[in-house]
Amino acid sequence: MTQTMPEHHAGGITPGPLDPVTFEVLKNAFVTAVDLMSEQIMRTCYSFVIYARDFSSALCDAEGNTVMQGTGDIAVHVGTLHFQCKAVLEEFGDDINPGDVFAVNDPYRGGTHFNDVSFIRPIFVGPRIIGFAQNKGHWADIGGTVPGSFDVNAKEHFGEGLRITPVRVWHRGRLLHDVAQLLVSNTRSPYSSMGDLNAQAEATAVCEREILRLVERYGTDVVVAAMAGVQDYVERIVRNRLAELPKGEWTAVDYLDADPGQPEGLVPISIKMTIDDEGIHYDLRGSAPAVSTFLNSGYGTTHSALYAGTKTFFPEVALNSGFYRVVQAEIGPEGTVVNAGWPHAVTGFCSGPYEKLMNGIFEIWSKVMPERAMACAFNLEYLLVGGRDARTTDRPYFMWYDWMAGGWGGRATKDGSGATAPVFGVGLAVQPVEGQERLSPVLTSAHRIVTDSGGPGRHRGGCGLEKGGVLTDCENTVMSYCCDRARSITWGIEGGLPSVPHGVWLNKGTDAERFLGVTFSGVPIKPGDSFTRPSAGGGGLGDPLTRDPAAVVEDVVDGYVSVERAAKDYGVVITVIDPELDRYEIDEPATESLRASIAAERSDWLQEDPQDVARRYRAGELDMLDLVRRYGVIVDWGTGELHERTTEQYRELMQRRSAAYWA
């Protein structure tokens, strides 16, 4: 499937009554108009999830093309907002009136997943539509079979919640109460959903007022010309940058952990990128068929991943439809993991193909722009606990809905960012545990940086976090988790090593300990049960044996690396003098000897019998990091059972990304 982008004026800023100074003023005024939407929604939303900034806004032109995003929006949202605006135009045509507001969450019409509900308001000047204001927010629940609407067992969308095709919710300024009531009544928290519905719609009215204020000051033609001009401006900048880059073709592949409907093995997402005189072209037709779970992507989110991944290497450029004109994609026919189509389940796209596409693009662009190289970042994850809150007599539904920060990959000249929002959306905030505990019967037991979670490399990956909780007064409560990379572990490049596997542990350290993995839904839990899970760090960049030993010691002082892994991963032998005073010394002769030994043996480690390695893991002779960093062996982290096909594929990736760069 090739996505056709809107027609545009090829020669820079759109012709019209627009001087350069006015253009610059309006360009920045559009950003302000969108940011005002964000400020409004932050002050009026009802859902704690939206308050934690799981929302985005945009200004679109009369054809639905994105004119401007704000300064804190989430990448995946922004890359789909133009598709949803166009869906409203396609659905209603000339039947759009002043005061109308439309809702849509349909991932088969260019949206993200069902929880992300958009409200779209046309902006009129007299009888003429000059643009649209749009706000998208993540509702904590949209119905479906489990609280929070993340059912990993869903194979079709019918178990994932309410599908909102473009629908009018306000007509000429009048709320259609029956329509609004129909939408919110299909959620587990109708009161909060109705509050968010009103808050999001009012946010679009704030943007409308700001644009009309600009029209009153500068005139309709000038504002409309500026809307077209900012898109042409971005396109021109990107094309000028591309002219300075090499032409050619590059490939990358990343993987989902598994397709539960198929034999064990990683699921490929294949990317080919070409740069030529026409722009950037992506081809994803080598990707796997849709998987039999909700880790599939629709066409809108796949395009968004391509936009966001590419945009990461052009940080100084605004993201609007001018950028999209330069990035073309062939994503293949419906029915694949990157173009699932109706009725395939797609709610987990964010933890599935989306971040795999972004990280595969990072690997490709690290070759095109080595000065901005970056290894793989941790995988976005959501943990949802839902049931009845027994702290009050009416026992209302509660949704403890959590995501974590983690580590980004090591970079060309420095270590990766640690404890950072996911690449999916750097605007996401870490939810304050005090607010979570007030709203839900879940007590946070730990929230800390995970030592040794950053992938080893010349430049270390950023560290991930661990977060744990305990259930208190609850009834009929279940847990669901949306993630990946328990097997396709966050990888390093140019000789760097992987991070740590994701996954949730229930009642860890007790007789009732269970490893639940990275994708599960509806697991019954009860008061007193505890849970914990890490977020991965980023992958390492460069051979870890070339990292400055002094930097390794600093990592030990900071708690980022343990003394044991400093030796195993970096070949740096450290003598502990007084840890309370942060006194450590490098044993230089031992370090030199150990590094030489590791360099001589590490290629052979990747050839050792996987069955024997798995046996040694089960016997406690090896730990998890030994398996993923030294031996390239993947097992079920709860039972120690070897995943043979996955190990074969994982070793191939380590040979290509890591071992091939070792001297």
Side-chain angles (χ1 to χ4, degrees), residues 85-137:
C85 197
K86 290 175 184 295
V88 168
L89 284 163
E90 292 167 2
E91 195 74 23
F92 290 92
D94 295 332
D95 186 20
I96 299 176
N97 313 288
D100 286 354
V101 180
F102 304 90
V104 60
N105 77 345
D106 191 347
Y108 313 114
R109 299 290 294 273
T112 47
H113 49 200
F114 299 101
N115 294 75
D116 287 340
V117 183
S118 284
F119 289 85
I120 302 171
R121 179 187 297 270
I123 301 172
F124 278 82
V125 175
R128 176 186 178 187
I129 297 176
I130 65 166
F132 292 86
Q134 181 173 180
N135 174 271
K136 174 181 286 191

Side-chain angles (χ1 to χ4, degrees), residues 220-234:
T220 302
D221 290 344
V222 172
V223 172
V224 170
M227 289 182 178
V230 294
Q231 297 173 62
D232 293 338
Y233 173 76
V234 168

Side-chain angles (χ1 to χ4, degrees), residues 264-320:
E264 168 261 318
L266 302 177
V267 178
I269 295 173
S270 176
I271 309 170
K272 181 172 73 174
M273 186 191 79
T274 304
I275 298 178
D276 60 24
D277 292 336
E278 299 301 316
I280 303 165
H281 309 271
Y282 289 105
D283 188 339
L284 310 182
R285 287 176 291 182
S287 301
V291 295
S292 55
T293 180
F294 70 169
L295 295 175
N296 295 297
S297 181
Y299 76 88
T301 50
T302 289
H303 279 88
S304 176
L306 301 179
Y307 302 148
T310 308
K311 172 66 172 63
T312 303
F313 286 77
F314 298 86
E316 71 281 6
V317 180
L319 185 64
N320 63 25

